[in-house]
Amino acid sequence: MKFRVTAVWIALLLAPLAHAVDSFVVPNSSEAVEGDSNNTIPFSSEGGNTRYQQVYLDSDIPPGPFTIYGIAFRPNGIGPVQPNFSFQIPEIDIFLVPTDENTNLSTDFEFNVGIGYQLVASGPLTLTSAASGPVGGPLDFDIEIWFDQPFEYASGNLLLDVLVWPYESTGSPLFDAVNSGPDPVGRVFSAGINGGSVDAATGIADTQGLVTKFMLV
């Protein structure tokens, strides 16, 4: 009986800690604040045909190790406000990998990829959002992508690499993003919407990025 009571107390004490790290948002400063920008790349670009890399600095990532089971984004919540939507990308590949690069990513996609390049999701992907949340944002992180293969994060900067293969599309919802000022994200992309290609070796680099939620449970 004494052992059982002790075990219960330990479980109760650990429960708040487990809840505290069930997810995190990068940039941390944007978790409860609407981003200063918005973007349709890469997940909602019309017609796909896009390669997109976004880096997240370890300064905004909790200490590892831990397992990432999925990522989530939120619709743009201010000027213009994104209405609810649902659409399917027929073929997409999503990778995560540690990287030594910072927010000034190389325009050469392969140069940014470190050791441990892992495919976490592949195939058709349906993205939906109720566009719920307060007027003026931020809206809810309800654009969820759950991984086929969880990613084991240890330490360091983290690179998201997304390949969206060409398809026919008529919609391009706006995602919340950050752009101005110093922030712990950066990107490089080649998008069909502006003449690029998923097969491109190089892309356009800047310090914009989608506000991203990482789901650990």
Side-chain angles (χ1 to χ4, degrees):
M1 178 63 70
K2 181 178 180 181
F3 173 78
R4 183 177 180 182
V5 171
T6 302
V8 170
W9 274 108
I10 291 174
L12 290 173
L13 289 170
L14 290 179
L17 295 177
H19 176 73
V21 293
D22 61 0
S23 66
F24 63 92
V25 174
V26 183
N28 297 165
S29 59
S30 297
E31 181 172 4
V33 179
E34 179 75 10
D36 61 359
S37 185
N38 59 74
N39 214 273
T40 65
I41 301 171
F43 299 105
S44 58
S45 296
E46 293 183 17
N49 199 17
T50 297
R51 185 169 186 183
Y52 177 95
Q53 291 180 341
Q54 180 168 324
V55 66
Y56 306 88
L57 297 189
D58 62 351
S59 58
D60 250 30
I61 300 175
F66 52 76
T67 304
I68 301 173
Y69 291 91
I71 52 178
F73 304 93
R74 62 192 183 197
N76 193 53
I78 186 170
V81 177
Q82 174 61 49
N84 64 304
F85 64 84
S86 177
F87 71 99
Q88 185 181 69
I89 297 173
E91 186 176 1
I92 187 171
D93 294 317
I94 302 174
F95 298 82
L96 284 176
V97 61
T99 182
D100 293 329
E101 300 308 301
N102 56 29
T103 53
N104 295 311
L105 288 173
S106 169
T107 56
D108 183 331
F109 288 111
E110 296 310 313
F111 186 86
N112 299 319
V113 175
I115 298 173
Y117 193 56
Q118 181 183 323
L119 180 66
V120 294
S122 182
L125 176 66
T126 299
L127 297 176
T128 63
S129 174
S132 58
V135 175
L139 302 183
D140 297 330
F141 282 99
D142 66 351
I143 309 170
E144 297 180 344
I145 301 173
W146 293 98
F147 295 160
D148 304 321
Q149 178 63 46
F151 181 82
E152 302 296 331
Y153 173 84
S155 62
N157 299 340
L158 184 62
L159 186 75
L160 173 71
D161 196 354
V162 180
L163 285 74
V164 183
W165 304 94
Y167 68 99
E168 293 184 5
S169 172
T170 57
S172 231
L174 289 170
F175 286 42
D176 189 30
V178 291
N179 189 22
S180 63
D183 55 61
V185 296
R187 67 176 184 171
V188 57
F189 64 93
S190 179
I193 197 171
N194 58 9
S197 167
V198 66
D199 297 317
T202 60
I204 300 169
D206 60 33
T207 57
Q208 190 171 10
L210 300 177
V211 179
T212 308
K213 181 178 183 178
F214 291 84
M215 298 177 287
L216 309 186
V217 295

